[in-house]
Structure formats: C-alpha cells, structure tokens
C-alpha cells in the first residue's frame, strides 16, 4: 500500500487557479495569477524521505510546491549488471547484436559479459544507443551491444546479460515466491503450470508446492501447506521453470524479481520472488573472453 503520511492532499482548482502556484511566484509562469481564495487551507503536513532512513517534516500548500518536493529517484548503478535481452540481430559487417534495456548496473565496451541461464561468456566490442556509439550505458537505457564469437543461435530473448566478474546471473532450478491471485476462475493447486512473464522471459513454470497461505495485507501466515488458493488470496509458493530461466530475488534485483502469471489469455496472478535456488553449471567461454582473462 501507500504511506499516507508521506502523501500531501491539496485541494486545488485548475479552472480558478486556487492553490496551484506559490504565492508571489505567479509572475514566473506565463498566464498565471496570484489567487488566495482558500484561506481556510493551512497546508498539508507530510513526513518526507530525504535519504535512506532519514525523514523530515514538510508542509505543502501549493501544487507546484508539492511537485518540487518529490525526491528524485536514484538509478541502481551500484548493483551488478542485469540486462534482459529483448531481441538478437545479425547485422552484416558488424556481427551479432543483442538488444535490451539496462535494468541495473553499467555495461561498457571491453567488458566480459555472461549470458544467463546458459552461462556463455564473451567480450562486448561496442555499445550503441539510438545509432550512437557510447562508452557505457546506465539503468533505463535501451541499448544494442556488439558481441564477439557468438552466433544468433547461441543467445535469444529472455536471456540476461551480466558482468562475468561480479555476481554473474545463473539459471534457477526452483524459486520461492509470494503470489496474489487476482483473476482465476477456479482454484490453484499443486501441479498447476501456467506461463510466467518475468522481465523479457515467457516460460511455463510449475507450482511445485503451496507452502503457506498468507494475509495479503499484513503478510502474516494463515495456513501451512494449503490444498488450494483462490481469487483474492495470497500464498508463498515454490515454482519450477520448465526451461532454463533467470530470476532474481526482489530484494536484490527488483526488476528481475517481479512477475505476472498468465493463463487463458489473461493475467491470473502477480508475484514477487523471495528466494532462488540457482543452477551452478558453468557455460562456455568464447576465445575473446579467454584472451581478456589471460591478459589480467
């Protein structure tokens, strides 16, 4: 839910212009007027987050003041690289070019990336965004990057690029998730196998075990090992992908830790990943990646 003490509720009138612009600053905005008809409204007091664990009290009376007070979100550049592939192209004269959006970390030319869940490692020759060559790309950037010694058949949509030296991603054998059933006509039991949409991967996953039924608001356990869960109920479940798949815990890498459960051409449930049991098998290393490893 939302933290109500952090949200300012401001009565405004866009038509009349009440409480829109800070008093005395209307001249800075073209066509704005200083209007102070709502003398009864003394302002909304909120507790504003300045940094992690630090909050301060603030009073907002005008809409523009409240908008200016919204903290700027920080991009997760400090985390290890995670870049789910949206597509892989073969471009004449260049080679294999995977395309995707950087979710966490930084990708730069010259680095060695590992593609999960197969574990193939190779060197990034160059990084491009909107046909412009870049030295590096940060979270939120949609990029194409040229890789050495790999064919289009080696990697595909749903795979995830990661830094080979820093927490390279691996395939999940099973994972534990918290699931909320939203729109299922019947009951979900052990053995149910719908398709999971997680980042760019669409893979059928089996509900191996319903571990616990929980209260969807408080998260408290209601029943251990339930026989089934139905609409508007939440549960902790163990899931097993039918094909190799990369998922991460929501706590560590949130963009790769949330998913939608699809069945009968609709979203029947949503969930977040709590813990992952990873496959530890090593994949192949291309010649260019081995060369860089030798130099270092």
């Amino acid at each position: 839910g939302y933290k109500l003490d952090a949200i300012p509720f401001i009565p405004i009138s866009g038509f009349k212009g009440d409480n829109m612009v800070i008093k005395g600053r209307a001249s800075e905005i073209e066509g704005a007027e200083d209007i102070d008809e709502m003398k009864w409204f003394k302002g909304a007091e909120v507790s504003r987050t300045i940094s992690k664990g630090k909050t301060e009290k603030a009073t907002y009376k005008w809409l523009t003041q409240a908008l200016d007070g919204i903290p700027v979100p920080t991009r997760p550049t400090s985390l290890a690289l995670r870049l789910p592939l949206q597509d892989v192209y073969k471009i004449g004269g260049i080679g294999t070019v995977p395309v995707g959006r950087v979710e966490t970390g930084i990708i730069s030319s010259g680095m060695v990336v590992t593609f999960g869940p197969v574990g193939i490692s190779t060197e990034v020759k160059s990084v491009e965004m909107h046909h412009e060559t870049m030295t590096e790309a940060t979270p939120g950037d949609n990029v194409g990057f040229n890789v050495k010694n790999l064919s289009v058949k080696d990697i595909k949509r749903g795979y995830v690029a990661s830094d080979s030296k820093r927490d390279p991603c691996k395939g999940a054998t099973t994972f534990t998730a918290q699931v909320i059933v939203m729109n299922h006509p019947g009951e979900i039991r052990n053995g149910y196998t719908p398709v999971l949409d997680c980042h760019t991967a669409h893979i059928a996953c089996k509900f191996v075990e319903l571990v616990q039924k929980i209260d969807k608001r408080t998260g408290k356990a209601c029943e251990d090992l339930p026989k089934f869960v139905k609409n508007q109920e939440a549960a902790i479940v163990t899931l097993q992908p039918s094909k190799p798949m990369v998922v991460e815990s929501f706590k560590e890498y949130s963009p790769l830790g949330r998913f939608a459960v699809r069945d009968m051409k609709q979203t029947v449930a949503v969930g977040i990943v709590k813990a992952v049991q990873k496959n530890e098998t090593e994949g192949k290393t291309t010649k260019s990646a081995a060369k860089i490893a030798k130099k270092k």
Side-chain angles (χ1 to χ4, degrees):
Y2 296 96
K3 291 177 181 171
L4 291 177
D5 60 342
I7 301 168
F9 289 87
I10 301 168
I12 61 164
S13 167
F15 186 64
K16 293 275 189 185
D18 296 326
N19 285 4
M20 297 292 280
V21 185
I22 297 172
K23 199 175 180 184
R25 285 183 57 186
S27 57
E28 295 171 24
I29 300 163
E30 196 181 324
E33 289 178 55
D34 261 335
I35 296 166
D36 193 16
E37 293 294 324
M38 291 193 197
K39 290 185 170 63
W40 55 268
F41 179 64
K42 301 290 181 244
E45 196 175 274
V46 293
S47 59
R48 198 173 66 142
T49 306
I50 315 163
S51 59
K52 224 174 189 179
K54 280 189 176 180
T55 57
E56 67 169 12
K57 293 272 185 227
T59 304
Y60 298 126
K61 192 177 176 189
W62 295 277
L63 178 67
T64 49
Q65 187 188 19
L67 292 172
D68 289 342
I70 296 169
V72 179
T74 53
R75 291 188 170 191
T77 49
S78 58
L79 297 173
L81 173 68
R82 289 292 183 272
L83 192 158
L85 305 186
Q86 288 166 8
D87 224 326
V88 183
Y89 299 104
K90 188 179 182 179
I91 300 169
I94 295 170
T96 306
V97 178
V99 173
R101 188 173 76 170
V102 182
E103 296 291 359
T104 62
I106 295 167
I107 186 168
S108 55
S109 54
M111 80 187 285
V112 177
V113 293
T114 299
F115 291 97
V118 285
I120 299 171
S121 296
T122 190
E123 185 195 347
V124 175
K125 277 200 274 188
S126 62
V127 180
E128 277 195 15
M129 182 164 76
H130 309 308
H131 308 291
E132 279 182 32
T133 304
M134 304 170 73
T135 50
E136 61 177 39
T138 52
D141 292 345
N142 282 298
V143 295
F145 55 102
N146 186 5
V147 289
K148 279 186 176 180
N149 310 114
L150 276 187
S151 80
V152 179
K153 290 174 185 172
D154 292 327
I155 49 177
K156 59 184 180 184
R157 181 186 168 91
Y159 284 10
V160 179
S162 60
D163 190 342
S164 62
K165 292 184 188 68
R166 190 178 167 206
D167 190 19
C169 56
K170 297 182 171 84
T173 48
T174 59
F175 58 96
T176 307
Q178 182 178 322
V179 174
I180 297 175
V181 185
M182 294 164 68
N183 189 22
H184 195 277
E187 296 161 344
I188 291 176
R189 295 173 181 266
N190 290 351
Y192 176 56
T193 312
V195 172
L196 251 68
D197 285 3
C198 184
H199 53 89
T200 57
H202 311 286
I203 290 172
C205 293
K206 184 181 181 182
F207 279 64
V208 179
E209 186 179 40
L210 302 177
V211 181
Q212 218 172 41
K213 196 184 278 190
I214 58 170
D215 186 298
K216 70 175 185 178
R217 281 190 179 83
T218 61
K220 286 180 182 172
C222 302
E223 182 187 341
D224 287 334
L225 302 171
K227 287 271 192 295
F228 62 86
V229 283
K230 55 184 195 293
N231 263 3
Q232 307 307 315
E233 288 186 339
I236 303 290
V237 300
T238 303
L239 291 151
Q240 184 179 43
S242 59
K243 289 178 193 169
M245 179 185 187
V246 174
V247 293
E248 299 283 1
S249 74
F250 186 79
K251 216 172 189 179
E252 288 178 320
Y253 302 97
S254 56
L256 281 81
R258 38 178 174 246
F259 59 86
V261 180
R262 303 271 303 168
D263 196 11
M264 301 163 287
K265 293 183 182 176
Q266 61 184 8
T267 302
V268 296
V270 291
I272 59 167
V273 179
K274 291 282 192 186
V276 186
Q277 288 71 49
K278 293 183 179 180
N279 188 353
E280 295 298 328
T281 54
E282 291 288 319
K284 73 168 187 177
T285 305
T286 61
K287 286 177 190 174
S288 59
K291 229 183 237 180
I292 288 172
K294 272 182 190 174
K295 278 180 192 174
K296 290 177 181 178

